[in-house]
Amino acid sequence: MLLLRFGEFTLKGKNRSRFEKTMLRQVKERVRLYPGAKLITEYGRIYVELGGEPAEPLIATLAKVFGIASISPVKVARSELEDIVTNSLRFMEAIAPAPGTTFKVNARRVWKDFPYGSQEMNRLVSGPLLKAFPALTVDVREPELELRVEVRENGTYLFCDNIQAAGGFPLGTNGKAMLLLSGGIDSPVAAWSSMRRGLEVECIHFFSYPYTSREARQKVVDLARVLSGYSGRIRLHLVPFTEIQTSFAGIGQDNLMITLMRRSMLRIATMLAEREGALAIVTGDSLGQVASQTLSSMNVIGRATDLPILRPLVMMDKGEITELAQTIGTYELSILPYEDCCTLFVPRSPTTNPNLRIVERIEATLPGYAQRLDEAVAQTVTVDLTPHGNERPADEEEAAVQQEEWF
Ligand code: ATP
Ligand code: MG
């Protein structure tokens, strides 16, 4: 069996049952792909009976479910002393601890009719183990290896190591936000961090075909697919940005180009948020990282929307972000060298201190600006991605086009 432990949301009083239900649904969805496996729920825990299914891929997929703090493989013995000892020996054989490993047995009698108490069980189980593995030494305070023995009426659970899982809040239990997904290192990490706080995210990517390549767009699809490994599925909106971007090119304000582009992105994201029922916009901004991420730039850019902008990475160093990107599996894709629309027509010296009034004046006098934003929203293509690639098109009509265009 696998034992899944819940994360910090167990503290959340009344919300607890809603959170548990959401998480259980996501666990079920993943376990369904392994027909032999069966779920057993218990207060504060979920067990997955393997029923002949392989443990490793199941652990790998379940460790990505937000809300699960840790996973332990469990061996089940009959609740009889002899069988418990035999299985403990087998369990230890499988672990094959290195000589000198410190260890202890930590028994708990949950079933009160079992003839031996917890303390007694510690001795009754550790005795034969020490005899069979003379290289083990006991350390009751800080052992490297702790064999847990839970004696229950229907069987005794033996388990040891906790495999760390994603933790956080079950997906969607803290609402929904739109995430601006570029092909870079930061925004996929921002997506993961948001999802871990229980936010459902829908991704929005702006591309400037033919200035940006199909490969660049595919890269973003692939990144979103990696993210879907954590959420089960993820929605990606692909917004054509060429018209808007080129309309900024001829106005003789090159140093404000990025400011204008970012504000347009936020406006479009706001319209899509309204359509999709999302209440915030998430970006991969990190304070001071580039010209558009100075406090002054964030201030001017942020005023283009009334929605709260969440910046999960705002105080993180690039090194920390990169490390997280490697851990969650997006880094290798992110460093593929395809250009993003923001690297196009980029001025040599983008401003780090834009003036809000000037920016607003430019936008107000740009012919057809509002209409172009509406058009970009109307031409947005939406796809729902899953880790396995068996997409469900968000819109039946678009299905054929998407098949041809995106995959
Ligand atoms: P990243 O590594 O995520 O690309 P970055 O350090 O390159 O971030 P910028 O290019 O300045 O930073 O982008 C800042 C944020 O703006 C990104 O994290 C992302 O949220 C958003 N963004 C930038 N370009 C795009 C795009 N083409 N489509 C959608 N969002 C974008
Ligand atoms: Mg970028």
Side-chain angles (χ1 to χ4, degrees), residues 106-346:
N106 182 353
R108 193 157 74 92
R109 181 173 60 170
V110 181
W111 177 38
K112 296 301 172 203
D113 290 343
F114 188 70
Y116 309 99
S118 302
Q119 291 301 331
E120 239 177 324
M121 280 304 283
N122 285 343
R123 271 185 294 109
L124 289 169
V125 176
S126 59
L129 283 178
L130 285 168
K131 211 175 280 169
F133 299 89
L136 288 177
T137 55
V138 175
D139 178 350
V140 289
R141 283 216 201 98
E142 261 186 86
E144 290 160 325
L145 196 66
E146 182 172 337
L147 176 65
R148 309 276 302 272
V149 179
E150 282 186 10
V151 186
R152 294 151 179 266
E153 187 165 5
N154 60 348
T156 293
Y157 298 172
L158 306 168
F159 54 94
C160 235
D161 45 6
N162 297 347
I163 297 156
Q164 207 188 329
F169 291 89
L171 194 80
T173 51
N174 281 329
K176 180 159 81 175
M178 306 306 274
L179 169 107
L180 303 193
L181 184 66
S182 67
I185 294 170
D186 303 329
S187 44
V189 176
W192 182 85
S193 307
S194 310
M195 294 195 290
R196 194 156 84 123
R197 294 318 289 172
L199 262 187
E200 180 190 348
V201 303
E202 291 190 15
C203 303
I204 303 178
H205 177 67
F206 298 87
F207 68 97
S208 292
Y209 192 72
Y211 301 108
T212 57
S213 60
R214 277 174 180 276
E215 285 86 351
R217 200 177 50 192
Q218 184 59 42
K219 170 180 166 179
V220 172
V221 170
D222 293 342
L223 277 170
R225 201 189 295 286
V226 174
L227 293 171
S228 76
Y230 293 92
S231 54
R233 65 172 55 86
I234 205 159
R235 182 163 284 190
L236 170 65
H237 304 278
L238 294 147
V239 185
F241 204 53
T242 320
E243 296 273 310
I244 292 168
Q245 204 170 353
T246 47
S247 76
F248 295 141
I251 54 177
Q253 293 278 4
D254 281 359
N255 59 338
L256 287 176
M257 189 81 181
I258 302 272
T259 313
L260 292 164
M261 276 166 51
R262 285 275 187 274
R263 282 169 61 90
S264 309
M265 288 182 180
L266 286 183
R267 291 206 168 95
I268 291 167
T270 307
M271 289 190 249
L272 289 170
E274 204 161 295
R275 194 179 83 189
E276 304 286 326
L279 295 181
I281 296 172
V282 185
T283 74
D285 291 336
S286 174
L287 187 60
Q289 200 186 75
V290 290
S292 59
Q293 296 170 31
T294 61
L295 200 54
S296 171
S297 283
M298 282 190 196
N299 180 25
V300 171
I301 291 166
R303 279 163 199 260
T305 182
D306 286 332
L307 289 177
I309 301 177
L310 308 180
R311 300 178 173 94
L313 314 182
V314 73
M315 300 303 176
M316 283 172 77
D317 282 354
K318 191 73 185 187
E320 295 167 334
I321 300 169
T322 303
E323 223 169 87
L324 253 179
Q326 279 161 339
T327 311
I328 66 172
T330 53
Y331 181 77
E332 295 299 326
L333 280 169
S334 287
I335 57 172
L336 292 174
Y338 308 120
E339 73 292 6
D340 182 62
C341 69
C342 295
T343 52
L344 292 176
F345 324 116
V346 168

Side-chain angles (χ1 to χ4, degrees), residues 378-390:
Q379 288 163 11
T380 293
V381 171
T382 300
V383 282
D384 283 343
L385 300 163
T386 64
H388 315 290
N390 50 339

